[in-house]
Amino acid sequence: MPFRYLGLLLIFALPAHCNAQDFFPDGSQHQKWEYVVWNFFGGVCERRIVVTGDSVALCGKTYVEVLDCNGNEANCYLSGYYRLQNDSVMVRSRVNVWSGNDYTTSADCNQPEGLMYDFFVPTGDSLICQLNSAKPGTTFNFRKLEERIVYYEGIQRQKLTMSFRPYPANPNANYVMLWISGIGSNIHPFYSLSCIGDACEWEQQLTRVYRNGTLIYQDTLLDFSYSCNSWKDPTPIPPLDISDWVLYPNPVADYFTIKSGLPYGETFGLELYDPWGRLVLSEKEHPVMEGVFINNLSPGVYYLRLRYGGALRCFSLIKE
């Protein structure tokens, strides 16, 4: 196929960037998981939040921080780190290291990584997964029983039914967990950094997941063993209306501005893709009415994706 026709196909295929992606989040995306945990001592259900943090260099590789927070996304603590390796998600636990003067948070590089997920394991195969972050050397088999394709919030995803034994000393205790590509598990998304075994599969339940502010998963059934149905929210959160946002000028020479009508001090997310689908500019919190400079880019057609809350807006942009 001549290159000029291939280029046209790539350009017309680019509006697909306005659809949410199906891969597990890396350091360039912000993901938030909401889950409910049963508190035996208080006899109530508590809402917890897991969010991605910064990208950090650890043990010769780049990891993303995993932060566990209360229901108001406050009082967060660093529970561990993860990284992507092809179709797998690898994790390391957080440890406190004595520096000679004080303790610093890091990871024990003498311990092997733990396998968190492998979303493309064949049916019937077994995986050795990290079982307990408090004992990184403790591992156990997960066995894939079934795979189905399901839709969550309009996104097609793989759902894997995984069998496992949370108590190595008790082979008769055989449980089931769901793995969902792009989401994680149907309990705590990083279960080995939090809790597994000791009835954690019954005490925790994933409810909703947001990526860059957009709802990408919601459990509308909430099949929970305890009385946590007060957290059930089967009605999707309606997206904000940003259909009247305006990009100007267009064509663009050096910089452009987004007229949004948002009050001063607000921010929105933006991503700019070149004609070949490569991300050339990304800002998670761009201030309203502040210009976006692209004077360093080559002339051509670009595609701009804007996010605010749960709303998404796309523009075609011509760089002169």
Side-chain angles (χ1 to χ4, degrees), residues 189-245:
F190 297 95
Y191 48 87
S192 73
L193 300 177
S194 171
C195 177
I196 192 168
D198 194 25
C200 294
E201 300 74 33
W202 305 328
E203 295 170 13
Q204 298 179 162
Q205 177 74 44
L206 188 69
T207 55
R208 291 185 294 202
V209 180
Y210 296 85
R211 181 171 299 163
N212 292 334
T214 298
L215 183 69
I216 62 173
Y217 170 86
Q218 184 167 215
D219 186 346
T220 58
L221 298 177
L222 201 60
D223 183 14
F224 208 81
S225 299
Y226 299 104
S227 55
C228 293
N229 290 330
S230 59
W231 294 105
K232 180 178 177 181
D233 186 3
T235 304
I237 299 174
L240 298 171
D241 183 13
I242 62 174
S243 59
D244 58 347
W245 285 20

CSV table of all heavy atoms in Angstrom, one decimal, residues 189-245:
chain,number,residue,atom,x,y,z
A,189,PRO,N,-8.2,-4.0,44.2
A,189,PRO,CA,-7.6,-4.2,42.9
A,189,PRO,C,-6.1,-4.7,43.1
A,189,PRO,O,-5.6,-5.3,42.1
A,189,PRO,CB,-7.6,-2.8,42.3
A,189,PRO,CG,-7.8,-1.9,43.5
A,189,PRO,CD,-8.6,-2.6,44.5
A,190,PHE,N,-5.5,-4.4,44.2
A,190,PHE,CA,-4.2,-5.0,44.5
A,190,PHE,C,-4.2,-5.8,45.7
A,190,PHE,O,-3.7,-5.4,46.8
A,190,PHE,CB,-3.1,-3.8,44.6
A,190,PHE,CG,-3.0,-3.0,43.3
A,190,PHE,CD1,-3.7,-1.9,43.2
A,190,PHE,CD2,-2.1,-3.4,42.3
A,190,PHE,CE1,-3.6,-1.1,42.0
A,190,PHE,CE2,-2.0,-2.7,41.2
A,190,PHE,CZ,-2.7,-1.6,41.0
A,191,TYR,N,-4.9,-6.9,45.6
A,191,TYR,CA,-5.3,-7.7,46.8
A,191,TYR,C,-4.1,-8.2,47.6
A,191,TYR,O,-4.1,-8.2,48.8
A,191,TYR,CB,-6.2,-8.9,46.4
A,191,TYR,CG,-5.6,-9.7,45.2
A,191,TYR,CD1,-4.7,-10.8,45.4
A,191,TYR,CD2,-6.0,-9.5,43.9
A,191,TYR,CE1,-4.2,-11.5,44.4
A,191,TYR,CE2,-5.5,-10.2,42.9
A,191,TYR,CZ,-4.6,-11.2,43.1
A,191,TYR,OH,-4.1,-11.9,42.1
A,192,SER,N,-3.0,-8.5,46.9
A,192,SER,CA,-1.8,-9.0,47.7
A,192,SER,C,-1.1,-7.9,48.5
A,192,SER,O,-0.4,-8.2,49.4
A,192,SER,CB,-0.8,-9.7,46.8
A,192,SER,OG,-0.1,-8.8,46.0
A,193,LEU,N,-1.4,-6.6,48.1
A,193,LEU,CA,-0.9,-5.5,48.9
A,193,LEU,C,-1.8,-5.1,50.0
A,193,LEU,O,-1.4,-4.3,50.9
A,193,LEU,CB,-0.7,-4.3,48.0
A,193,LEU,CG,0.3,-4.5,46.8
A,193,LEU,CD1,0.3,-3.2,46.0
A,193,LEU,CD2,1.7,-4.8,47.3
A,194,SER,N,-3.0,-5.8,50.1
A,194,SER,CA,-3.9,-5.4,51.1
A,194,SER,C,-4.3,-6.6,52.0
A,194,SER,O,-3.8,-6.7,53.1
A,194,SER,CB,-5.2,-4.9,50.4
A,194,SER,OG,-6.2,-4.7,51.4
A,195,CYS,N,-5.0,-7.6,51.4
A,195,CYS,CA,-5.5,-8.7,52.2
A,195,CYS,C,-6.0,-9.7,51.3
A,195,CYS,O,-6.8,-9.4,50.3
A,195,CYS,CB,-6.6,-8.2,53.2
A,195,CYS,SG,-7.3,-9.5,54.2
A,196,ILE,N,-5.6,-11.0,51.5
A,196,ILE,CA,-6.2,-12.1,50.8
A,196,ILE,C,-6.2,-13.3,51.8
A,196,ILE,O,-5.3,-13.4,52.6
A,196,ILE,CB,-5.5,-12.4,49.5
A,196,ILE,CG1,-6.3,-13.4,48.7
A,196,ILE,CG2,-4.1,-13.0,49.8
A,196,ILE,CD1,-5.7,-13.6,47.3
A,197,GLY,N,-7.2,-14.1,51.7
A,197,GLY,CA,-7.3,-15.1,52.7
A,197,GLY,C,-8.0,-14.5,53.9
A,197,GLY,O,-8.3,-13.3,53.9
A,198,ASP,N,-8.2,-15.2,55.0
A,198,ASP,CA,-8.8,-14.7,56.2
A,198,ASP,C,-10.1,-14.0,55.9
A,198,ASP,O,-10.4,-12.9,56.4
A,198,ASP,CB,-7.8,-13.7,56.9
A,198,ASP,CG,-8.3,-13.3,58.3
A,198,ASP,OD1,-9.0,-14.1,58.9
A,198,ASP,OD2,-7.9,-12.3,58.8
A,199,ALA,N,-10.8,-14.6,54.9
A,199,ALA,CA,-12.2,-14.1,54.6
A,199,ALA,C,-12.2,-12.7,53.9
A,199,ALA,O,-13.2,-12.1,53.8
A,199,ALA,CB,-13.1,-14.0,55.8
A,200,CYS,N,-11.0,-12.3,53.3
A,200,CYS,CA,-11.0,-11.0,52.7
A,200,CYS,C,-11.8,-11.0,51.4
A,200,CYS,O,-12.4,-9.9,51.0
A,200,CYS,CB,-9.6,-10.6,52.3
A,200,CYS,SG,-8.5,-10.3,53.7
A,201,GLU,N,-12.0,-12.2,50.8
A,201,GLU,CA,-12.8,-12.2,49.6
A,201,GLU,C,-14.3,-11.9,49.9
A,201,GLU,O,-15.0,-11.6,49.0
A,201,GLU,CB,-12.7,-13.6,48.9
A,201,GLU,CG,-11.2,-14.0,48.5
A,201,GLU,CD,-10.4,-14.3,49.7
A,201,GLU,OE1,-10.9,-14.9,50.7
A,201,GLU,OE2,-9.2,-14.0,49.7
A,202,TRP,N,-14.7,-12.1,51.1
A,202,TRP,CA,-16.0,-11.8,51.5
A,202,TRP,C,-16.2,-10.4,52.1
A,202,TRP,O,-17.2,-9.8,52.1
A,202,TRP,CB,-16.6,-12.8,52.5
A,202,TRP,CG,-16.4,-14.2,52.0
A,202,TRP,CD1,-16.5,-14.7,50.7
A,202,TRP,CD2,-16.2,-15.4,52.8
A,202,TRP,NE1,-16.4,-16.0,50.6
A,202,TRP,CE2,-16.1,-16.5,51.9
A,202,TRP,CE3,-16.0,-15.6,54.1
A,202,TRP,CZ2,-15.9,-17.8,52.3
A,202,TRP,CZ3,-15.7,-16.9,54.6
A,202,TRP,CH2,-15.7,-18.0,53.7
A,203,GLU,N,-15.1,-9.9,52.6
A,203,GLU,CA,-15.1,-8.6,53.3
A,203,GLU,C,-15.0,-7.4,52.4
A,203,GLU,O,-15.3,-6.3,52.8
A,203,GLU,CB,-14.0,-8.6,54.4
A,203,GLU,CG,-14.2,-9.6,55.5
A,203,GLU,CD,-12.9,-9.7,56.4
A,203,GLU,OE1,-12.1,-8.7,56.3
A,203,GLU,OE2,-12.8,-10.6,57.2
A,204,GLN,N,-14.4,-7.6,51.2
A,204,GLN,CA,-14.2,-6.5,50.3
A,204,GLN,C,-14.9,-6.7,49.0
A,204,GLN,O,-15.1,-7.9,48.6
A,204,GLN,CB,-12.7,-6.4,50.0
A,204,GLN,CG,-11.8,-6.2,51.2
A,204,GLN,CD,-10.3,-6.1,50.9
A,204,GLN,OE1,-9.6,-5.6,51.7
A,204,GLN,NE2,-9.9,-6.6,49.8
A,205,GLN,N,-15.3,-5.7,48.4
A,205,GLN,CA,-16.1,-5.7,47.1
A,205,GLN,C,-15.8,-4.5,46.3
A,205,GLN,O,-16.0,-3.3,46.8
A,205,GLN,CB,-17.6,-5.8,47.4
A,205,GLN,CG,-18.4,-5.9,46.1
A,205,GLN,CD,-18.3,-7.2,45.4
A,205,GLN,OE1,-18.4,-8.2,46.0
A,205,GLN,NE2,-18.2,-7.1,44.1
A,206,LEU,N,-15.3,-4.6,45.1
A,206,LEU,CA,-15.1,-3.5,44.2
A,206,LEU,C,-16.4,-3.0,43.7
A,206,LEU,O,-17.3,-3.7,43.4
A,206,LEU,CB,-14.2,-3.9,43.0
A,206,LEU,CG,-13.7,-2.8,42.1
A,206,LEU,CD1,-12.7,-1.9,42.8
A,206,LEU,CD2,-13.1,-3.4,40.8
A,207,THR,N,-16.6,-1.6,43.7
A,207,THR,CA,-17.9,-1.1,43.3
A,207,THR,C,-17.8,-0.2,42.1
A,207,THR,O,-18.5,-0.4,41.1
A,207,THR,CB,-18.4,-0.2,44.5
A,207,THR,OG1,-17.5,0.8,44.8
A,207,THR,CG2,-18.8,-1.0,45.7
A,208,ARG,N,-16.8,0.7,42.0
A,208,ARG,CA,-16.7,1.5,40.8
A,208,ARG,C,-15.2,1.8,40.5
A,208,ARG,O,-14.4,1.8,41.5
A,208,ARG,CB,-17.4,2.8,41.0
A,208,ARG,CG,-18.9,2.7,41.0
A,208,ARG,CD,-19.6,4.0,41.0
A,208,ARG,NE,-19.4,4.7,42.3
A,208,ARG,CZ,-20.2,5.7,42.7
A,208,ARG,NH1,-21.3,6.0,42.0
A,208,ARG,NH2,-20.0,6.3,43.8
A,209,VAL,N,-14.9,2.1,39.3
A,209,VAL,CA,-13.5,2.4,38.8
A,209,VAL,C,-13.6,3.6,37.9
A,209,VAL,O,-14.5,3.6,37.0
A,209,VAL,CB,-12.8,1.2,38.2
A,209,VAL,CG1,-11.4,1.6,37.7
A,209,VAL,CG2,-12.8,0.0,39.1
A,210,TYR,N,-12.7,4.6,38.1
A,210,TYR,CA,-12.7,5.8,37.2
A,210,TYR,C,-11.3,5.8,36.6
A,210,TYR,O,-10.3,5.6,37.3
A,210,TYR,CB,-12.9,7.0,38.0
A,210,TYR,CG,-14.3,7.1,38.6
A,210,TYR,CD1,-14.6,6.6,39.8
A,210,TYR,CD2,-15.3,7.8,37.9
A,210,TYR,CE1,-15.9,6.6,40.3
A,210,TYR,CE2,-16.6,7.9,38.4
A,210,TYR,CZ,-16.9,7.3,39.6
A,210,TYR,OH,-18.2,7.4,40.1
A,211,ARG,N,-11.2,6.2,35.4
A,211,ARG,CA,-9.9,6.5,34.7
A,211,ARG,C,-9.9,7.9,34.2
A,211,ARG,O,-10.7,8.2,33.4
A,211,ARG,CB,-9.5,5.5,33.6
A,211,ARG,CG,-8.2,5.7,33.0
A,211,ARG,CD,-7.8,4.6,32.0
A,211,ARG,NE,-7.7,3.4,32.8
A,211,ARG,CZ,-7.6,2.2,32.2
A,211,ARG,NH1,-7.8,2.1,30.9
A,211,ARG,NH2,-7.5,1.1,32.9
A,212,ASN,N,-8.9,8.7,34.7
A,212,ASN,CA,-8.9,10.1,34.3
A,212,ASN,C,-10.3,10.8,34.5
A,212,ASN,O,-10.7,11.6,33.6
A,212,ASN,CB,-8.4,10.3,32.9
A,212,ASN,CG,-6.9,9.9,32.7
A,212,ASN,OD1,-6.2,9.9,33.7
A,212,ASN,ND2,-6.5,9.5,31.6
A,213,GLY,N,-11.0,10.4,35.5
A,213,GLY,CA,-12.3,11.0,35.8
A,213,GLY,C,-13.4,10.4,35.1
A,213,GLY,O,-14.6,10.8,35.4
A,214,THR,N,-13.2,9.4,34.3
A,214,THR,CA,-14.3,8.8,33.5
A,214,THR,C,-14.7,7.5,34.1
A,214,THR,O,-13.8,6.6,34.4
A,214,THR,CB,-14.0,8.6,32.1
A,214,THR,OG1,-13.7,9.9,31.5
A,214,THR,CG2,-15.1,8.0,31.3
A,215,LEU,N,-16.0,7.2,34.4
A,215,LEU,CA,-16.4,5.9,34.9
A,215,LEU,C,-16.2,4.8,33.9
A,215,LEU,O,-16.7,4.9,32.8
A,215,LEU,CB,-17.9,6.0,35.3
A,215,LEU,CG,-18.5,4.8,36.0
A,215,LEU,CD1,-17.9,4.6,37.4
A,215,LEU,CD2,-20.0,4.9,36.0
A,216,ILE,N,-15.4,3.8,34.2
A,216,ILE,CA,-15.1,2.7,33.3
A,216,ILE,C,-15.6,1.3,33.8
A,216,ILE,O,-15.6,0.4,33.1
A,216,ILE,CB,-13.6,2.6,32.9
A,216,ILE,CG1,-12.8,2.3,34.1
A,216,ILE,CG2,-13.2,3.9,32.2
A,216,ILE,CD1,-11.3,2.1,33.8
A,217,TYR,N,-16.0,1.3,35.1
A,217,TYR,CA,-16.6,0.0,35.6
A,217,TYR,C,-17.5,0.4,36.8
A,217,TYR,O,-17.3,1.3,37.5
A,217,TYR,CB,-15.4,-0.8,36.2
A,217,TYR,CG,-15.8,-2.0,37.0
A,217,TYR,CD1,-16.2,-3.2,36.4
A,217,TYR,CD2,-16.0,-1.9,38.4
A,217,TYR,CE1,-16.6,-4.3,37.1
A,217,TYR,CE2,-16.4,-3.0,39.1
A,217,TYR,CZ,-16.7,-4.2,38.5
A,217,TYR,OH,-17.1,-5.3,39.3
A,218,GLN,N,-18.6,-0.4,36.8
A,218,GLN,CA,-19.5,-0.3,37.9
A,218,GLN,C,-20.2,-1.6,38.2
A,218,GLN,O,-20.7,-2.3,37.3
A,218,GLN,CB,-20.6,0.8,37.7
A,218,GLN,CG,-21.5,1.0,38.8
A,218,GLN,CD,-22.3,2.3,38.7
A,218,GLN,OE1,-22.6,3.0,39.7
A,218,GLN,NE2,-22.7,2.6,37.5
A,219,ASP,N,-20.2,-2.0,39.5
A,219,ASP,CA,-20.8,-3.3,39.9
A,219,ASP,C,-22.3,-2.9,40.2
A,219,ASP,O,-22.5,-2.3,41.3
A,219,ASP,CB,-20.1,-3.9,41.0
A,219,ASP,CG,-20.7,-5.3,41.4
A,219,ASP,OD1,-21.8,-5.6,40.9
A,219,ASP,OD2,-20.0,-6.0,42.2
A,220,THR,N,-23.2,-3.2,39.4
A,220,THR,CA,-24.6,-2.9,39.6
A,220,THR,C,-25.3,-4.0,40.3
A,220,THR,O,-26.5,-3.8,40.7
A,220,THR,CB,-25.3,-2.6,38.3
A,220,THR,OG1,-25.2,-3.7,37.4
A,220,THR,CG2,-24.7,-1.4,37.6
A,221,LEU,N,-24.7,-5.1,40.6
A,221,LEU,CA,-25.3,-6.2,41.3
A,221,LEU,C,-24.9,-6.2,42.8
A,221,LEU,O,-25.7,-6.4,43.7
A,221,LEU,CB,-25.0,-7.6,40.7
A,221,LEU,CG,-25.5,-7.7,39.2
A,221,LEU,CD1,-25.0,-9.1,38.7
A,221,LEU,CD2,-27.0,-7.6,39.1
A,222,LEU,N,-23.6,-6.0,43.0
A,222,LEU,CA,-23.0,-6.0,44.4
A,222,LEU,C,-23.5,-7.2,45.2
A,222,LEU,O,-24.2,-7.1,46.2
A,222,LEU,CB,-23.4,-4.7,45.1
A,222,LEU,CG,-22.5,-4.3,46.2
A,222,LEU,CD1,-21.1,-4.1,45.7
A,222,LEU,CD2,-23.0,-3.0,46.9
A,223,ASP,N,-23.0,-8.4,44.7
A,223,ASP,CA,-23.3,-9.6,45.4
A,223,ASP,C,-22.4,-9.7,46.6
A,223,ASP,O,-21.3,-10.3,46.5
A,223,ASP,CB,-23.1,-10.8,44.4
A,223,ASP,CG,-23.5,-12.1,45.1
A,223,ASP,OD1,-24.2,-12.1,46.1
A,223,ASP,OD2,-23.1,-13.1,44.5
A,224,PHE,N,-22.9,-9.2,47.7
A,224,PHE,CA,-22.0,-9.0,48.9
A,224,PHE,C,-22.6,-9.9,50.1
A,224,PHE,O,-23.8,-9.9,50.2
A,224,PHE,CB,-22.0,-7.6,49.3
A,224,PHE,CG,-20.7,-7.2,50.0
A,224,PHE,CD1,-19.5,-6.9,49.3
A,224,PHE,CD2,-20.6,-7.1,51.4
A,224,PHE,CE1,-18.4,-6.5,49.9
A,224,PHE,CE2,-19.5,-6.7,52.0
A,224,PHE,CZ,-18.3,-6.4,51.3
A,225,SER,N,-21.7,-10.5,50.8
A,225,SER,CA,-22.2,-11.4,51.9
A,225,SER,C,-22.7,-10.6,53.1
A,225,SER,O,-23.4,-11.1,53.9
A,225,SER,CB,-21.0,-12.3,52.3
A,225,SER,OG,-20.6,-13.1,51.3
A,226,TYR,N,-22.3,-9.3,53.2
A,226,TYR,CA,-22.7,-8.5,54.4
A,226,TYR,C,-23.6,-7.4,53.9
A,226,TYR,O,-23.8,-7.2,52.7
A,226,TYR,CB,-21.5,-8.0,55.1
A,226,TYR,CG,-20.6,-9.1,55.6
A,226,TYR,CD1,-19.4,-9.4,55.0
A,226,TYR,CD2,-20.9,-9.8,56.8
A,226,TYR,CE1,-18.6,-10.4,55.5
A,226,TYR,CE2,-20.1,-10.8,57.2
A,226,TYR,CZ,-19.0,-11.1,56.6
A,226,TYR,OH,-18.2,-12.1,57.1
A,227,SER,N,-24.2,-6.7,54.8
A,227,SER,CA,-25.2,-5.7,54.5
A,227,SER,C,-24.5,-4.4,54.0
A,227,SER,O,-24.6,-3.3,54.7
A,227,SER,CB,-26.0,-5.4,55.7
A,227,SER,OG,-25.2,-5.0,56.8
A,228,CYS,N,-23.9,-4.4,52.8
A,228,CYS,CA,-23.3,-3.3,52.3
A,228,CYS,C,-24.0,-2.7,51.1
A,228,CYS,O,-23.5,-1.9,50.3
A,228,CYS,CB,-21.8,-3.6,51.8
A,228,CYS,SG,-20.7,-4.0,53.1
A,229,ASN,N,-25.3,-3.1,50.9
A,229,ASN,CA,-26.0,-2.6,49.8
A,229,ASN,C,-26.3,-1.1,49.8
A,229,ASN,O,-26.8,-0.6,48.8
A,229,ASN,CB,-27.3,-3.4,49.7
A,229,ASN,CG,-27.1,-4.8,49.3
A,229,ASN,OD1,-26.1,-5.1,48.6
A,229,ASN,ND2,-28.0,-5.7,49.7
A,230,SER,N,-26.0,-0.5,50.9
A,230,SER,CA,-26.2,1.0,50.9
A,230,SER,C,-25.3,1.7,50.0
A,230,SER,O,-25.5,2.8,49.6
A,230,SER,CB,-26.0,1.5,52.4
A,230,SER,OG,-24.7,1.2,52.8
A,231,TRP,N,-24.2,1.0,49.6
A,231,TRP,CA,-23.3,1.6,48.7
A,231,TRP,C,-23.6,1.3,47.2
A,231,TRP,O,-23.0,1.7,46.3
A,231,TRP,CB,-21.9,1.0,48.9
A,231,TRP,CG,-21.3,1.4,50.3
A,231,TRP,CD1,-21.2,0.7,51.4
A,231,TRP,CD2,-20.9,2.7,50.6
A,231,TRP,NE1,-20.7,1.4,52.4
A,231,TRP,CE2,-20.5,2.7,52.0
A,231,TRP,CE3,-20.8,3.9,50.0
A,231,TRP,CZ2,-20.0,3.8,52.7
A,231,TRP,CZ3,-20.3,5.0,50.6
A,231,TRP,CH2,-19.9,4.9,52.0
A,232,LYS,N,-24.7,0.5,47.0
A,232,LYS,CA,-25.1,0.2,45.6
A,232,LYS,C,-25.5,1.4,44.9
A,232,LYS,O,-26.4,2.2,45.4
A,232,LYS,CB,-26.2,-0.9,45.6
A,232,LYS,CG,-26.7,-1.3,44.2
A,232,LYS,CD,-27.7,-2.4,44.4
A,232,LYS,CE,-28.3,-2.7,43.0
A,232,LYS,NZ,-29.3,-3.8,43.1
A,233,ASP,N,-25.0,1.7,43.7
A,233,ASP,CA,-25.4,2.8,42.9
A,233,ASP,C,-25.6,2.3,41.5
A,233,ASP,O,-24.7,2.5,40.7
A,233,ASP,CB,-24.3,3.9,43.0
A,233,ASP,CG,-24.7,5.2,42.3
A,233,ASP,OD1,-25.9,5.2,41.8
A,233,ASP,OD2,-23.9,6.1,42.2
A,234,PRO,N,-26.7,1.7,41.1
A,234,PRO,CA,-26.9,1.2,39.8
A,234,PRO,C,-27.0,2.2,38.7
A,234,PRO,O,-27.0,1.8,37.5
A,234,PRO,CB,-28.1,0.3,39.9
A,234,PRO,CG,-28.9,1.0,41.0
A,234,PRO,CD,-27.9,1.5,42.0
A,235,THR,N,-27.2,3.4,39.0
A,235,THR,CA,-27.4,4.5,38.0
A,235,THR,C,-26.1,5.1,37.7
A,235,THR,O,-25.5,5.7,38.5
A,235,THR,CB,-28.4,5.5,38.5
A,235,THR,OG1,-29.7,4.9,38.8
A,235,THR,CG2,-28.7,6.6,37.4
A,236,PRO,N,-25.6,5.0,36.4
A,236,PRO,CA,-24.3,5.6,36.1
A,236,PRO,C,-24.4,7.1,36.3
A,236,PRO,O,-25.4,7.8,36.1
A,236,PRO,CB,-24.2,5.3,34.6
A,236,PRO,CG,-25.0,4.1,34.4
A,236,PRO,CD,-26.2,4.3,35.3
A,237,ILE,N,-23.2,7.6,36.7
A,237,ILE,CA,-23.1,9.1,36.9
A,237,ILE,C,-23.2,9.8,35.6
A,237,ILE,O,-22.4,9.5,34.7
A,237,ILE,CB,-21.8,9.4,37.6
A,237,ILE,CG1,-21.8,8.7,39.0
A,237,ILE,CG2,-21.6,10.9,37.8
A,237,ILE,CD1,-20.4,8.9,39.7
A,238,PRO,N,-24.2,10.7,35.4
A,238,PRO,CA,-24.3,11.3,34.1
A,238,PRO,C,-23.1,12.2,33.8
A,238,PRO,O,-22.6,12.9,34.7
A,238,PRO,CB,-25.6,12.2,34.2
A,238,PRO,CG,-25.7,12.4,35.7
A,238,PRO,CD,-25.2,11.2,36.3
A,239,PRO,N,-22.6,12.2,32.6
A,239,PRO,CA,-21.4,13.0,32.2
A,239,PRO,C,-21.8,14.5,32.2
A,239,PRO,O,-22.9,14.9,32.0
A,239,PRO,CB,-21.0,12.5,30.9
A,239,PRO,CG,-22.2,12.0,30.3
A,239,PRO,CD,-23.0,11.4,31.4
A,240,LEU,N,-20.8,15.3,32.5
A,240,LEU,CA,-21.0,16.8,32.4
A,240,LEU,C,-21.2,17.2,30.9
A,240,LEU,O,-20.6,16.5,30.0
A,240,LEU,CB,-19.9,17.5,33.0
A,240,LEU,CG,-19.6,17.3,34.5
A,240,LEU,CD1,-18.3,17.9,34.9
A,240,LEU,CD2,-20.8,17.8,35.3
A,241,ASP,N,-21.9,18.2,30.7
A,241,ASP,CA,-22.1,18.7,29.3
A,241,ASP,C,-21.0,19.7,29.0
A,241,ASP,O,-21.0,20.8,29.5
A,241,ASP,CB,-23.5,19.4,29.2
A,241,ASP,CG,-23.8,19.8,27.8
A,241,ASP,OD1,-23.0,19.4,26.8
A,241,ASP,OD2,-24.7,20.6,27.5
A,242,ILE,N,-20.1,19.3,28.1
A,242,ILE,CA,-19.0,20.2,27.7
A,242,ILE,C,-19.1,20.4,26.1
A,242,ILE,O,-18.1,20.7,25.5
A,242,ILE,CB,-17.6,19.7,28.1
A,242,ILE,CG1,-17.3,18.4,27.5
A,242,ILE,CG2,-17.5,19.6,29.6
A,242,ILE,CD1,-15.9,17.9,27.8
A,243,SER,N,-20.3,20.1,25.6
A,243,SER,CA,-20.5,20.2,24.2
A,243,SER,C,-20.3,21.6,23.6
A,243,SER,O,-20.1,21.7,22.4
A,243,SER,CB,-21.8,19.6,23.8
A,243,SER,OG,-22.9,20.4,24.4
A,244,ASP,N,-20.4,22.6,24.5
A,244,ASP,CA,-20.3,24.0,23.9
A,244,ASP,C,-18.9,24.5,24.1
A,244,ASP,O,-18.7,25.7,23.8
A,244,ASP,CB,-21.3,24.9,24.7
A,244,ASP,CG,-21.1,24.9,26.2
A,244,ASP,OD1,-20.3,24.0,26.7
A,244,ASP,OD2,-21.7,25.8,26.8
A,245,TRP,N,-17.9,23.7,24.5
A,245,TRP,CA,-16.6,24.2,24.6
A,245,TRP,C,-16.0,24.5,23.2
A,245,TRP,O,-16.4,23.8,22.2
A,245,TRP,CB,-15.7,23.2,25.2
A,245,TRP,CG,-15.8,23.1,26.7
A,245,TRP,CD1,-16.9,23.5,27.5
A,245,TRP,CD2,-14.9,22.5,27.7
A,245,TRP,NE1,-16.7,23.2,28.8
A,245,TRP,CE2,-15.5,22.6,29.0
A,245,TRP,CE3,-13.7,21.9,27.6
A,245,TRP,CZ2,-14.9,22.1,30.1
A,245,TRP,CZ3,-13.1,21.4,28.7
A,245,TRP,CH2,-13.7,21.5,30.0
